[in-house]
Amino acid sequence: MTFHITVDGRPVPVVPGQSIGAALHAAGVRSWRTTRFGGRPRGLFCGIGVCFDCLISVNGRPPERACLLEAEPGDEVTTA
Amino acid sequence: MTGAPYDLVVVGGGPAGVAGALTAALAGLRVALLDSGARLGGQYFRHAAVPEREPGLDRFLLQARLLDGRADVLTRHQVWNVSREPGGDLTVHALTRDSSGERPVTLRARRLLIATGAHDRPLPFPGWDLPGVLTAGGAQALLKGGGVLAGRRVVISGTGPFLLPVASGLARAGAAVLGVYEANGGLGLARHPLLALGKAGEAAAYAAALARHRVPYRTRHAVIAAHGEREVEAVTVARLDPDWNVLSTRIVGCDTLAVGYGFVPQIELGTQLGCETRGDPDGSPVLRVDAAQRTSVPGVWAAGEPTGVAGWRQAEVEGRIAGRAIVGEARPIARRGPDGVLLRRRRQWRAFGEALQRAYPVRPGWQSWLRDDTLVCRCEEVPLARVREALELGATDARSVKLLARPGMGWCQGRVCGYAVSCLAGEAPRPPRRPVAQPVTLGALAEAAPEDSPDEAAQ
Amino acid sequence: MSDVIVVGAGVVGAACAYYAARAGLDVTVVDRGPVAGGTTGSGEGNVLVSDKEPGPELELAMLSNGLWRALAEHGGFEFEPKGGLVVAETDEIQRRLTELAGKQGVEHAMVSGAELRDYEPHLAEGLAGGVYYPQDAQVQPMLAAASLLRHGAESFGRGTLRLRLGVTVTGVLRSGGRVTGVRTSQGDVLGDAVVNAAGTWGGEIAALAGVELPILPRRGFILVTEPLREPLIRHKVYTAAYVTNVASDSAGLETSAVVEGTPAGTVLIGASRERVGFDRTTSVPVLARLAEQAVALFPALREVRAIRSYCGFRPYCPDHLPVIGADPRVPGLYHACGHEGAGIGLAPATGHLLAQLLAGERPDLDLRPFRPDRFSEEAA
Ligand SMILES: Cc1cc2nc3c(=O)[nH]c(=O)nc-3n(C[C@H](O)[C@H](O)[C@H](O)COP(=O)(O)OP(=O)(O)OC[C@H]3O[C@@H](n4cnc5c(N)ncnc54)[C@H](O)[C@@H]3O)c2cc1C
Ligand SMILES: Cc1cc2nc3c(=O)[nH]c(=O)nc-3n(C[C@H](O)[C@H](O)[C@H](O)COP(=O)(O)OP(=O)(O)OC[C@H]3O[C@@H](n4cnc5c(N)ncnc54)[C@H](O)[C@@H]3O)c2cc1C
Ligand code: FES
């Protein structure tokens, strides 16, 4: 009973209730942004909304925490 | 703002918050509970939409079901500030999101229960910001909440008994756990304090799970560096002396590293209101409460990890004690004396929690694991060298290091690096000053502006 | 035994110590906390000439502006000569801004409503115009204070500038009426002159010497946004209401939009002013008002998040002018405090002029408007 979101145009399966971060991890995508100064790759670190490493832009909105944000059918995610 | 104030607003939907809210709601109080997550549970009872089995979870889910319908349960609500109105009520400022974007939600409350839990306490080391390095709690949350394995070949490192459920959970779910490295020492797994201190069933189950999956458990060992290009590919495991200085090292190949050095109680809603704090045995500032879980600020209670880390059972007990005290205050007629059983349990679990904190301290040798270019602050990318520079320029504490070198100024507001920066500045962590506890869009914040003219508002 | 003891390691104390050491004096700086841990650690770092009425403060600001530029050449802190843009909501306000700019005699350019977006592409529509001041600049105040102390200690002979942190001044020592040093939590520190650079706490130091200095805290909140990848705001931008609020005598809350980007990518949003003592309790209505005004000026900020806020206490004198100079009531006591919301901008000129006094030279500016005993005269 999965649905899909797209990550940079590529479909990624989601189990209902999963966060965007969990869905990305499950698909083997473990980093999705780079830092401002060093260009270092970042993904999940704390997993519970504390560290803000996992910021991601969904449907063109300003960046949000991927570990908190539940994936919705049709979400379009862009990585930097 | 919604009209009449709630009798009680609870922030946090873990065992402490749910127990407190349910106790008050069952006694007829008008209660709202807010949690940032999509489902109630908190850290320990975090669960997928279709939950797996876990000790205590059935009981928790029953409480959560009972609460639904008896209280306004507002999940996906992040509380960013609580303040006192001139009239004496409390205003709880939260944010939620719907299809139209982020939306402010403001509740008024006669009483507040702070049950915001804790988060992992990481320590910096070279390579700790590589993707594939997670906090132990993060790896566990991924599994419990999303059913996702953090990796296939996992190394776990840090200190404290919490590494065990993480390891056994990952092993059970099919990951190869290549080792659990406990930086403190002395006790082997069989003599683990969890066994001695009465959590016997649970700890034995973890120990058995680790044995079954042939997971090596090494004390006086820790991961002191992670290596890799774009992701972690290997880690350096060191044998440590009692102060955590490195005695010898070897490289272990892996795709994931989970680390945790204890917990940081989340107390900023309390410090926003001016609640007094005290230092827990591990140095963490926690909210000071009396026998009824009352903080130093009238109308404000706290339960669970914000009053000191002692596990989910203690959190639930404290939530119930707080709930009863709140009912007693709201309905003096219905006042019941304190429940002797609850009080005894709380004493036991508190002793247990403090014993664990003493048995698994952070030792100063970790600072020798860092190199000049090791990031101390991940958000603002501040390396150790810049922290040292700030200390040479005349910073004498963590706050002035932050002012001069920016660690803790970024997105996470020092939640991740705060402990390490305090250690490097040579002081115990101070209570947090975070007037804006969660990021809030300026648009949503603007909506909280008073209608009247600013000069009148100040009168 | 030092020639000069400077009480306070904020930006003003640091500048006094730096210029005194440069003048060949032997200086000890004493602070109860770290470097820049007072109001300097909660200021924004604007070095403004645009917001001053013509008069002594503007002269001080002009002198300081040039000195900051020279100091920045040593490095150690950021100095951004980014310029300031004052915007007018209505034609009437634009007319008043034009008039002010004409009187100031400061380099500026009039900006029509249509041209505003050439300066700031994200400004709201419908604004009447503004004035651009190219000399307005920004420093990182904490690093600037720390660097001045560092340069002072390293450049003018070993041991001429000493820093004693975590040392609280508890008394002013006198002999035969003259100041001979300070009593501290860690013993007496002796010196020929004592400079009171204790900022908002300058009145307390003066009281220790037995004189009155009416310096009061004027609280200000700043909102800080998430770091932006692309700079949204290029200059320091503020509305004309800021100028009138700064000069206001009201104790009640006043807010005006002051918005600017920083090299770290964050946007700083001020400014509120209220006299409520040293109360740090966050006022959500004030933060909300700041957000509202910033969004009105830059609608694109609506979706940007505030991630933290802080507050500080500006050292405020009833006539809004700082206190700079020798105190005729106590020989050997000098003051350099009470700079309200402009202490960062005014620090180098303050230090430079005070060092001239200490070295027995004639100061470059007339210090009479800033004299310490002016308040008691008024009362008399
Ligand atoms: C990641 C993690 C994993 C853990 N795993 C275990 C384990 O396996 N076994 C064990 O015994 N202990 C574990 N612990 C310790 C555990 O936290 C406690 O035993 C138990 O969960 C404490 O319950 P609580 O009610 O105090 O807080 P929590 O269960 O942490 O609940 C607090 C809740 O408050 C919410 N919250 C916090 N701030 C806000 C805010 N500003 N606005 C809205 N909501 C907010 C949080 O999202 C959370 O849901 C873990 C801790 C962490 C951090
Ligand atoms: C929100 C806000 C924004 C601002 N923005 C700007 C701006 O953009 N531009 C600008 O120019 N100004 C700005 N200001 C004003 C500016 O911050 C101050 O005018 C300036 O920092 C004052 O510097 P100072 O060195 O006099 O005081 P401080 O930095 O407060 O230094 C005084 C020092 O004295 C020490 N001290 C006090 N008592 C004792 C004692 N008994 N013993 C030992 N030490 C003692 C204190 O510890 C402190 O370090 C702002 C202020 C606020 C609050
Ligand atoms: S992983 Fe830390 S905030 Fe999402």
Side-chain angles (χ1 to χ4, degrees):
Chain A
M1 214 197 60
T2 60
F3 60 84
H4 284 79
I5 61 174
T6 63
V7 179
D8 299 330
R10 201 162 58 89
V12 164
V14 178
V15 178
Q18 264 179 347
S19 70
I20 300 261
L24 286 172
H25 241 255
V29 182
R30 299 214 293 180
S31 68
W32 45 82
R33 75 169 177 106
T34 52
T35 58
R36 286 177 288 151
F37 303 116
R40 305 161 89 105
R42 293 284 167 85
L44 294 180
F45 178 62
C46 76
I48 62 168
V50 168
C51 73
F52 293 84
D53 264 4
C54 65
L55 291 171
I56 198 162
S57 174
V58 179
N59 302 331
R61 293 190 305 251
E64 292 165 271
R65 283 166 280 184
C67 66
L68 290 187
L69 192 64
E70 238 176 278
E72 311 259 359
D75 275 350
E76 288 179 21
V77 171
T78 38
T79 71
Chain B
M1 183 154 350
T2 45
Y6 284 95
D7 295 321
L8 171 66
V9 168
V10 180
V11 186
V18 167
L22 183 60
T23 307
L26 286 174
L29 268 57
R30 200 165 153 257
V31 179
L33 179 144
L34 301 95
D35 192 286
S36 52
R39 286 176 289 279
L40 296 181
Q43 304 316 344
Y44 180 69
F45 292 125
R46 181 184 296 278
H47 55 277
V50 184
E52 302 264 329
R53 293 197 55 79
E54 192 78 49
L57 181 59
D58 285 347
R59 187 183 144 80
F60 176 82
L61 292 176
L62 176 66
Q63 291 180 7
R65 264 200 309 279
L66 287 174
L67 187 62
D68 214 17
R70 289 182 170 83
D72 293 339
V73 176
L74 307 176
T75 51
R76 299 185 177 89
H77 279 64
Q78 300 171 7
V79 176
W80 64 269
N81 183 282
V82 185
S83 46
R84 175 82 65 187
E85 290 173 34
D89 285 342
L90 297 155
T91 310
V92 180
H93 296 276
L95 294 164
T96 190
R97 82 157 16 273
D98 53 26
S99 48
S100 63
E102 198 174 278
R103 185 166 58 82
V105 173
T106 308
L107 304 182
R108 283 174 62 208
R110 294 227 163 81
R111 297 168 200 83
L112 178 74
L113 173 59
I114 299 171
T116 43
H119 59 79
D120 283 87
R121 184 164 71 183
L123 289 177
F125 53 86
W128 73 309
D129 70 326
L130 279 172
V133 179
L134 283 89
T135 65
Q140 195 191 38
L142 202 50
L143 187 59
K144 281 189 175 181
V148 176
L149 271 180
R152 314 248 29 118
R153 298 165 59 242
V154 186
V155 169
I156 295 173
S157 177
T159 193
F162 169 57
L163 301 178
L164 300 177
V166 177
S168 72
L170 289 170
R172 242 183 353 208
V177 178
L178 307 176
V180 177
Y181 300 102
E182 162 61 60
N184 280 299
L187 315 157
L189 194 51
R191 291 176 47 221
H192 204 283
L194 271 180
L195 294 170
L197 278 157
K199 269 196 153 181
E202 229 168 274
Y206 295 141
L210 293 194
R212 194 164 57 247
H213 294 285
R214 297 187 203 298
V215 174
Y217 178 82
R218 299 268 177 279
T219 57
R220 290 266 155 77
H221 279 73
V223 169
I224 61 160
H227 316 281
E229 232 358 88
R230 282 196 61 87
E231 290 195 359
V232 59
E233 291 158 16
V235 295
T236 300
V237 174
R239 199 160 62 81
L240 304 175
D241 76 6
D243 277 333
W244 296 13
N245 297 303
V246 175
L247 298 174
S248 62
T249 63
R250 69 195 159 88
I251 302 283
V252 174
C254 62
D255 62 28
T256 300
L257 169 64
V259 284
Y261 287 88
F263 296 104
V264 179
Q266 308 209 68
I267 63 170
E268 56 258 341
L269 299 183
T271 51
Q272 284 175 356
L273 287 162
C275 297
E276 279 173 25
T277 60
R278 63 178 180 88
D280 233 16
D282 70 348
S284 293
V286 296
L287 298 177
R288 188 187 285 285
V289 289
D290 68 6
Q293 300 296 133
R294 215 180 271 122
T295 69
S296 63
V297 171
V300 181
W301 279 258
E305 317 282 52
T307 71
V309 172
W312 63 270
R313 288 192 175 80
Q314 172 76 340
E316 185 195 320
V317 168
E318 290 189 356
R320 285 172 64 189
I321 293 174
R324 288 171 67 101
I326 288 164
V327 171
E329 205 219 49
R331 303 254 189 286
I333 313 232
R335 181 171 296 167
R336 291 176 294 175
D339 179 323
V341 176
L342 286 180
L343 296 183
R344 199 167 59 245
R345 281 202 206 136
R346 181 177 60 185
R347 212 165 38 241
Q348 277 168 1
W349 289 118
R350 173 67 57 221
F352 165 74
E354 291 184 355
L356 284 187
Q357 291 183 25
R358 289 203 181 87
Y360 296 97
V362 172
R363 307 292 309 168
W366 67 266
Q367 296 184 23
S368 70
W369 309 345
L370 274 53
R371 296 190 315 236
D372 279 355
D373 65 351
T374 304
L375 292 190
V376 173
C377 167
R378 304 163 67 98
C379 299
E380 294 298 298
E381 299 170 72
V382 181
L384 177 66
R386 289 241 301 283
V387 172
R388 296 242 162 94
E389 227 170 80
L391 291 167
E392 280 161 26
L393 275 172
T396 57
D397 52 16
R399 176 173 173 263
S400 47
V401 169
K402 167 175 156 180
L403 290 176
L404 288 173
R406 298 188 64 77
M409 287 244 187
W411 270 108
C412 88
Q413 290 198 74
R415 287 177 172 92
V416 174
C417 68
Y419 178 74
V421 174
S422 297
C423 293
L424 291 168
E427 63 169 3
R430 304 235 189 127
R433 248 196 235 162
R434 294 191 190 107
V436 181
Q438 296 285 327
V440 44
T441 58
L442 291 168
L445 179 52
E447 286 183 41
E451 303 285 314
D452 43 356
S453 90
D455 286 45
E456 278 163 37
Q459 302 288 302
Chain C
M1 175 95 183
S2 302
D3 298 319
V4 185
I5 299 164
V6 177
V7 182
V11 67
V12 173
C16 290
Y18 172 84
Y19 285 104
R22 204 173 84 166
L25 299 169
D26 191 90
V27 186
T28 300
V29 180
V30 181
D31 199 297
R32 62 183 173 197
V35 163
T39 311
T40 300
S42 44
E44 272 186 284
N46 290 303
V47 177
L48 299 188
V49 292
S50 55
D51 66 337
K52 313 273 185 297
E53 295 278 343
E57 198 190 1
L58 181 57
E59 286 174 44
L60 200 61
M62 291 301 292
L63 175 62
S64 228
N65 197 282
L67 292 174
W68 266 129
R69 280 161 211 272
L71 291 171
E73 291 184 1
H74 297 310
F77 62 93
E78 285 153 0
F79 178 89
E80 268 200 293
K82 59 179 168 186
L85 181 67
V86 192
V87 299
E89 291 98 332
T90 65
D91 290 333
E92 168 56 20
I93 295 176
Q94 176 70 351
R95 193 188 57 71
R96 291 217 301 265
L97 285 181
T98 311
E99 204 178 279
L100 176 67
K103 286 193 296 187
Q104 282 169 321
V106 172
E107 191 184 336
H108 68 271
M110 297 310 301
V111 182
S112 71
E115 289 165 335
L116 275 176
R117 293 213 181 151
D118 300 340
Y119 287 81
E120 288 293 344
H122 296 282
L123 267 177
E125 278 178 55
L127 294 162
V131 187
Y132 175 65
Y133 290 86
Q135 280 164 303
D136 280 357
Q138 188 176 32
V139 295
Q140 205 282 32
M142 293 73 86
L143 273 180
S147 314
L148 285 180
L149 290 167
R150 166 63 58 92
H151 283 305
E154 287 175 353
S155 311
F156 312 118
R158 275 187 80 78
T160 49
L161 197 167
R162 278 175 304 273
L163 190 55
R164 300 208 37 203
L165 300 174
V167 176
T168 303
V169 171
T170 56
V172 173
L173 304 171
R174 292 166 77 165
S175 158
R178 225 197 127 71
V179 166
T180 56
V182 290
R183 174 145 296 159
T184 77
S185 54
Q186 295 182 30
D188 292 352
V189 182
L190 300 182
D192 288 334
V194 170
V195 176
N196 170 14
T200 315
W201 302 272
E204 293 172 20
I205 300 296
L208 292 178
V211 292
E212 208 193 313
L213 216 53
I215 297 177
L216 291 170
R218 199 176 184 195
R219 182 170 76 176
F221 282 102
I222 303 285
L223 269 176
V224 187
T225 71
E226 63 187 294
L228 303 179
R229 287 240 167 208
E230 304 293 329
L232 199 66
I233 293 153
R234 299 176 186 169
H235 308 93
K236 178 191 172 81
V237 182
Y238 62 92
T239 50
Y242 179 69
V243 185
T244 47
N245 281 354
V246 168
S248 155
D249 291 327
S250 163
L253 172 67
E254 290 168 335
T255 58
S256 50
V258 182
V259 185
E260 68 194 300
T262 67
T266 55
V267 177
L268 302 184
I269 297 170
S272 69
R273 289 163 192 272
E274 57 194 319
R275 296 213 318 265
V276 290
F278 286 102
D279 181 358
R280 282 201 175 275
T281 316
T282 298
S283 164
V284 173
V286 175
L287 298 186
R289 175 85 58 192
L290 294 179
E292 188 181 40
Q293 291 171 338
V295 169
L297 203 53
F298 289 100
L301 287 175
R302 181 171 293 282
E303 291 295 312
V304 171
R305 292 184 186 85
I307 61 169
R308 55 192 180 90
S309 82
Y310 58 86
C311 78
F313 301 95
R314 304 177 184 91
Y316 159 89
C317 287
D319 60 2
H320 303 285
L321 290 179
V323 182
I324 306 169
D327 195 319
R329 301 165 292 185
V330 185
L333 177 66
Y334 295 76
H335 300 286
C337 51
H339 294 72
E340 203 176 330
I344 296 153
L346 300 178
T350 303
H352 167 73
L353 296 167
L354 203 76
Q356 287 182 316
L357 275 187
L358 288 165
E361 294 167 21
R362 197 185 134 86
D364 291 343
L365 276 187
D366 177 8
L367 288 179
R368 267 177 304 176
F370 310 116
R371 68 193 178 282
D373 52 344
R374 64 184 192 266
F375 307 102
S376 41
E377 288 162 18
E378 278 158 26

